[in-house]
Amino acid sequence: MIIRLAFMFTLFLACAVCEAQVTSVIYDMETRLPVSDVQVFVNPKGLVTSDYRGRFFVKDKCSSITLSHIAYEKRVLKTTEVKDTIWLLPKMNYIDGVVVTAMGPKITLDIKKVVRSETRTSQAPSGLDFFSIFKRHRGKSAEEQEKFKKILDKY
């Protein structure tokens, strides 16, 4: 008889402790994915944040909880309304992050500048050699220029 009474008392105590706890998982209503970093305000006092799987756990007894996230509508639930899964509705005016990229430098050929420099350096035009404007002779010795000219002639 004493064993039965001790067992029933232990069972009653366990039930009372379990009723004070609230455990749930928070999901997005549209994507059906868990929502992390939801702030769960516990009434009368306390704050819990959901983990990366959307789970949260409230140890103490509470009368209601308030779920708050920047991208979702705020939701207030009484402890009796809290189920295993809580669905949050996304806000309609929430915008994802914006990525800003810089424009790369434009690679262009300034024809006017090239023609001016060619007209200053050339003596008398013997003929029109269009590809000569693309040849660069700056910083190369006469031997290197001759070597490149032979290679181009053989090619």
Side-chain angles (χ1 to χ4, degrees):
M1 182 72 176
I2 295 176
I3 295 174
R4 283 187 176 173
L5 281 172
F7 178 72
M8 289 177 66
F9 179 73
T10 307
L11 186 63
F12 175 74
L13 186 62
C15 289
V17 169
C18 290
E19 193 172 317
Q21 298 174 353
V22 177
T23 303
S24 188
V25 181
I26 304 169
Y27 283 102
D28 186 321
M29 196 176 283
E30 290 180 354
T31 62
R32 306 214 182 270
L33 294 173
V35 182
S36 62
D37 299 326
V38 176
Q39 292 186 347
V40 181
F41 297 99
V42 181
N43 190 4
K45 63 178 182 175
L47 173 68
V48 180
T49 305
S50 65
D51 63 3
Y52 69 97
R53 291 186 219 148
R55 296 182 301 174
F56 72 92
F57 177 74
V58 178
K59 293 185 251 183
D60 301 326
K61 192 170 186 173
C62 60
S63 59
S64 67
I65 61 171
T66 303
L67 304 163
S68 177
H69 192 276
I70 191 168
Y72 295 92
E73 297 293 335
K74 187 176 179 182
R75 187 163 182 195
V76 179
L77 296 170
K78 293 181 183 176
T79 308
T80 56
E81 296 173 335
V82 177
K83 305 294 182 198
D84 292 340
T85 304
I86 299 173
W87 299 94
L88 289 182
L89 183 65
K91 286 183 182 176
M92 294 307 230
N93 59 354
Y94 179 75
I95 298 174
D96 285 339
V98 178
V99 177
V100 179
T101 57
M103 295 288 292
K106 292 183 180 180
I107 301 172
T108 58
L109 180 64
D110 190 7
I111 298 293
K112 290 180 182 178
K113 186 177 179 181
V114 172
V115 170
R116 266 190 246 122
S117 66
E118 282 297 316
T119 54
R120 289 183 199 148
T121 58
S122 62
Q123 299 294 331
S126 59
L128 180 62
D129 185 13
F130 179 73
F131 294 105
S132 66
I133 61 174
F134 297 109
K135 293 181 183 177
R136 293 186 181 182
H137 301 293
R138 288 174 254 153
K140 296 180 183 174
S141 65
E143 295 172 359
E144 287 182 50
Q145 290 177 6
E146 192 64 37
K147 181 180 174 183
F148 288 133
K149 185 177 180 187
K150 285 180 185 177
I151 292 171
L152 288 173
D153 289 340
K154 288 181 183 179
Y155 185 70

